[in-house]
Amino acid sequence: MKRIFFLLFPLLLAACTQKPEHVELTDWQFEYNGQWYPATVPGFIHTDLIANDIIPDPFLATNEDSVQWVSKEYWTYRADLSKLTLPQGDTLWVVFEGLAGDALINLFYGEKSHVWTEDNMFCQYSMPLPAGCDRIEVTFFPWEWYIQGNDYYNYGYYGIPLPDYRAMNRVAPYQYGWDWGPKLPTYGIWKQVYITNSRPSRNSRLSRISRKSTVELRQEKDSIGQSFTFYRDGKPIFIKGANWIPVHSFPTDNNANRDRYRLLLTSAKEAGFNMLRVWGGGIYEHDYFFDLCDSLDLMVWMDFNFSTMLYPDSPEMLESIKEEAYQNVRRIAKHPCVVLWCGNNEVKNGWEDWGWQEAYHWTPEQRTRLEKAMDTIFGYYSTSSNYSSYSILAQAVRDCDPLHRPYITTSPLYGWGHTECVTHGDSHYWGVWWGEEPFEKYAEKTGRFMSEYGFQSYPMISTIRQFCPEDQLYIDSPTLRSHQKHPRGVAIIDKAMQQYYGFDSKSLSLEDFCYVSQLLQAWGTGYGIFQHIKQQPHCMGTLYWQLNDCWPVASWSSIDYYGNWKALHYRVKELYSEKVNLQLWEEYYSIYPKTRKYEKPDYKIVSKIENGKLVVTISAESDLYDVYIDTEPHINGHFDKNFFNLKKGEKAIATFLPVNENAEIKKVAISVKTLNEVMLSR
């Protein structure tokens, strides 16, 4: 035995001292005011500044306003390689999986350096590491570089004025602000960096993917117009789900965000979803997202990352877009959950319907070039069929997706002002909300596949207290104005609330307004879902806007930023159930909430811990409407049953599911709110 050991010892020693093939670079610093601070990679400059107490959390109060200077500065990161054990090989490669913003990369060796420039957040970049390289520096250029001087982004670079400067650089569009998101354009090394002895292949193509079933999209001419129906193993299926936005304004694949992914996707599954649409104004999601969707059997409609703007067709931009498309299709295509690739969100819609052509006074030659750019990238000239085989994005799918999943050019096929929006292809119906139409409009404006629609609500007061100072708990406070990104948001909610409930933000306390705004959202968006389900097979899918938030905000989401289910998510769970009784919902929607008779609420409530879980039983001694249960003090999470009605003599049992499994639930009290109280207090 000793002899065997001594024979093997040199091999064991060699194995222990052998250089690694792959070294991840995690020890980084960033420079601020001439000093160097520790940085977290993967990460963003905002998260590093927060971690080093240089800026406050921009999600709290009105702090978003105070950090706008960050995006106007140059930022430099550095990593020291001198003490690292590097891989063996004649040529080593440094690989950046993702750089957010225009970046200058310096690889220092002695008195010299190699310089690289990169400008696409959604691409992986690799470069040979010079012999003797002992330091890497990455400098990010401010995004306002694009809009300095005489309309630089319109004329100096491209020569044609464009509706939005975001089109000029390939970063996550939503980080520049949206009507549900903060304006926090940022920079950083947002994905892994590593040194390896072989260059990552850009030409690999998957040959086989294991999937449980075959899903296909059929768009067929019929007596109505053009269908939009998914088939699983040859049988038509009705799609039930929502639109997905990034889980955070700074969307790194870290533990905190992974917790959000798990919570949101399991909540989607719990509510009966079978599909999510990854909206094209965010990011190409991390593999972790797709892994979870694979395991949960959630289908994914995957937008390419182009949204609500026109894009230049300069050679540099087209080459960057091509590389982005090929890299991301190769990566994402290995996930069987993906069932559809879509070229963009609302680009055709904007071109045709949003007044751009009049506002920018394009010449006929410029219009022709802009249309050609849309065709080159997306396949715009093929939108009548909604298929393309020749565009950059279509070719990426053809060349890199071994399952040949379908590619459509755009979503929606027709904007909500066109009669075809209810007869041809998928539809984004925004007459309700943007057009301030009543919810009943959904009955006549149900398209062949409803891929966007919805209505806003506020988070509950317990959520608002987590980001709003106590002295600003009123609807028009600076904080709540900062966390309502739609310019007419409060007014639109007030108008609908008056119609269906008989009061508004001026006649209610903030707590009651937030509560009723959620009832209103559930009532209205739920009515749309009810109509879509009811009108099968004319309509074969419903994806409401939107499942989640990227920060705490008033929005269309059914789950707030902190993981609390809104009333809408409970309503969706009922409507998406395989056992949904449409006749009962027909009766429910036959009367407005404001016209019901409300008794003084009378009930008994008991809470106890069973098998480590908080279980609440409420027994109704009068008819109760929209019973909302919460923990006191509030713990982020949801009950498996909430916002329910009870007849006198009925009881409901609800189990609490905290966001944090280690939350202390043994000593919490239970608070109850009913619509009865609000109605009787008018």
Side-chain angles (χ1 to χ4, degrees), residues 601-607 616-622 624 627 646 650-652 672:
D602 189 7
Y603 54 86
K604 291 181 179 178
I605 188 164
V606 176
S607 64
V616 175
T617 301
I618 183 165
S619 303
E621 299 188 355
S622 66
L624 302 176
V627 179
L646 284 178
E650 294 180 341
K651 68 178 181 180
V672 177

Side-chain angles (χ1 to χ4, degrees), residues 128 205 258 413 493 501 506 508 570 623:
R205 185 177 187 273
R258 285 194 170 203
L413 190 56
I493 293 172
Y501 286 85
K506 302 176 187 65
L508 294 175
Y570 293 98
D623 289 352

Side-chain angles (χ1 to χ4, degrees), residues 190-209:
W190 77 294
K191 291 189 175 183
Q192 287 184 332
V193 187
Y194 56 89
I195 295 173
T196 183
N197 57 16
S198 60
R199 185 177 189 178
S201 174
R202 295 187 175 188
N203 299 311
S204 60
R205 185 177 187 273
L206 295 171
S207 59
R208 186 178 181 182
I209 301 174

Side-chain angles (χ1 to χ4, degrees), residues 82-146:
S82 61
K83 297 180 181 179
L84 288 178
T85 300
L86 297 179
Q88 289 179 321
D90 295 332
T91 302
L92 298 182
W93 295 84
V94 58
V95 180
F96 290 88
E97 293 285 358
L99 294 169
D102 284 3
L104 183 80
I105 303 167
N106 275 285
L107 307 177
F108 290 95
Y109 55 107
E111 299 297 321
K112 301 179 181 179
S113 68
H114 279 182
V115 179
W116 301 76
T117 58
E118 313 297 356
D119 62 359
N120 191 319
M121 177 176 176
F122 308 117
C123 285
Q124 176 202 86
Y125 294 106
S126 56
M127 55 212 69
L129 192 71
C133 182
D134 58 6
R135 187 170 88 255
I136 298 176
E137 288 190 0
V138 182
T139 298
F140 294 95
F141 296 87
W143 65 272
E144 287 204 347
W145 177 80
Y146 286 101

Side-chain angles (χ1 to χ4, degrees), residues 9-118:
F9 183 74
L11 297 176
L12 294 171
L13 184 62
C16 293
T17 58
Q18 188 175 15
K19 290 187 176 182
E21 295 183 358
H22 177 109
V23 175
E24 186 175 354
L25 302 184
T26 57
D27 189 9
W28 290 80
Q29 296 177 308
F30 73 97
E31 185 181 22
Y32 171 66
N33 277 355
Q35 296 184 46
W36 291 92
Y37 295 83
T40 298
V41 172
F44 292 92
I45 186 59
H46 283 81
T47 53
D48 286 329
L49 291 168
I50 294 168
N52 286 277
D53 295 322
I54 296 171
I55 63 171
D57 185 340
F59 287 7
L60 304 181
T62 59
N63 290 344
E64 176 197 354
D65 297 336
S66 69
V67 301
Q68 292 304 306
W69 62 271
V70 174
S71 63
K72 301 174 184 178
E73 302 293 328
Y74 291 81
W75 297 99
T76 297
Y77 285 76
R78 73 181 182 188
D80 183 1
L81 309 185
S82 61
K83 297 180 181 179
L84 288 178
T85 300
L86 297 179
Q88 289 179 321
D90 295 332
T91 302
L92 298 182
W93 295 84
V94 58
V95 180
F96 290 88
E97 293 285 358
L99 294 169
D102 284 3
L104 183 80
I105 303 167
N106 275 285
L107 307 177
F108 290 95
Y109 55 107
E111 299 297 321
K112 301 179 181 179
S113 68
H114 279 182
V115 179
W116 301 76
T117 58
E118 313 297 356

